[in-house]
Amino acid sequence: MRYATDLAGEWLGAKKKIPQGVEVVREEPYGIPLTRVTVKRSGLAKAPGVYTTLQPPALDGPHPQECTAELLKQELKKLLLPADRVLVVGLGNPFVTADSLGPRMLRGIWATRHLRGSVLVQGLALREVACFAPGVEAATGIATLEAVKGICAAVKPDKVLCVDSLCAASVKSIGRTIQLSDAGLSPGRGETFTAAALGVPVVALGAPTVARVSGKGASMALTSQSVDVLVRRAASLFADAVNAVLHPALTKEELQALLS
């Protein structure tokens, strides 16, 4: 059977040896397994860049996520800062639970671009944050990459953060993996959200919500029975971490009050 995966760790694990031009570092900060895969050459299944995989306790389980949140914040900080203008793009279909992580995550992001010069935020050194959920071409008639390119041209961000539901090769990765990358995102829909495509550095953030196994001319997508809980908790975790990185002067409670 042939396996398809968005996860660099799974892609590497399926090989008998590490390919030339690929480096792997494994750590365990806060007791959370972290694998950093650096692809240094083109021509491989993964584009050149750094892919960081976290394997926290189950995102859809009862375990507290404080350590996961802190580690995710630290990793996002390395990738997003020192950008002053950030565009957060929530990719996916908001009407399909397993594909709705990106759009749902945007509900928790504090957008500030429209507040420039507002008396409500005077004295706060705010980053300029814009959010965009392009939907899917089947519903809008507009190619997702085309829509994001247009928004980038208007907003002129320093960096783009693309958030999406990912596809794993193993059901064991669902709800137990988070991946960040500075190589952009290739969702498998024939579009590639990269610096070359958008004209600005792209950071990708996602968690697998489905596992796809293909073979003998058939393809099957598997997900968790608690995918709704997984998406809700992952979206909240991601939003809190992004807000903490982009608006460090504000507490979580202050941000929640601004979003309510």
Side-chain angles (χ1 to χ4, degrees):
M1 301 189 98
R2 179 174 58 85
Y3 294 87
T5 180
D6 292 323
L7 303 176
E10 285 188 337
W11 163 72
L12 202 61
K15 297 185 174 298
K16 293 182 180 179
K17 64 178 183 179
I18 297 174
Q20 184 178 5
V22 176
E23 291 184 355
V24 182
V25 175
R26 293 182 173 87
E27 306 171 27
E28 201 162 322
Y30 303 102
I32 298 172
L34 180 153
T35 303
R36 211 179 302 279
V37 177
T38 303
V39 179
K40 296 185 174 182
R41 68 179 179 91
S42 57
L44 298 174
K46 296 298 176 187
V50 180
Y51 301 80
T52 301
T53 301
L54 315 181
Q55 294 177 291
L59 297 173
D60 55 352
H63 310 286
Q65 297 290 341
E66 287 85 355
C67 290
T68 303
E70 181 59 30
L71 180 56
L72 179 58
K73 183 177 74 172
Q74 291 179 10
E75 293 299 321
L76 277 171
K77 188 175 181 179
K78 296 175 187 176
L79 293 170
L80 289 176
L81 300 189
D84 289 323
R85 296 187 303 277
V86 177
L87 171 64
V88 185
V89 178
L91 297 170
N93 190 334
F95 303 108
V96 177
T97 302
D99 194 33
S100 65
L101 176 56
R104 188 178 183 97
M105 181 262 199
L106 291 187
R107 301 181 194 176
I109 298 296
W110 189 38
T112 57
R113 184 172 181 269
H114 62 300
L115 297 177
R116 291 174 299 180
S118 170
V119 295
L120 297 175
V121 294
Q122 283 185 0
L124 292 178
L126 294 181
R127 281 189 174 81
E128 191 175 299
V129 179
C131 297
F132 180 52
V136 292
E137 186 175 3
T140 65
I142 304 170
T144 308
L145 182 57
E146 181 184 353
V148 176
K149 279 184 177 180
I151 294 297
C152 280
V155 172
K156 296 180 174 57
D158 297 317
K159 285 192 177 179
V160 174
L161 171 63
C162 286
V163 182
D164 198 9
S165 303
L166 303 180
C167 177
S170 169
V171 292
K172 293 180 180 179
S173 296
I174 297 176
R176 291 169 172 78
T177 310
I178 297 169
Q179 180 171 273
L180 308 93
S181 176
D182 63 1
L185 192 64
S186 300
R189 295 185 280 265
E191 298 176 314
T192 303
F193 299 84
T194 62
L198 299 180
V200 60
V202 179
V203 175
L205 169 63
T209 56
V210 297
R212 181 174 293 114
V213 181
S214 302
K216 296 182 180 180
S219 179
M220 180 179 294
L222 307 175
T223 189
S224 166
Q225 289 183 326
S226 56
V227 66
D228 54 337
V229 177
L230 163 61
V231 169
R232 184 173 68 250
R233 291 187 179 175
S236 177
L237 178 70
F238 288 5
D240 286 349
V242 172
N243 282 330
V245 170
L246 298 182
H247 308 299
L250 300 175
T251 65
K252 182 178 179 179
E253 291 71 26
E254 289 170 332
L255 284 163
Q256 287 176 339
L258 289 165
L259 287 164
S260 62

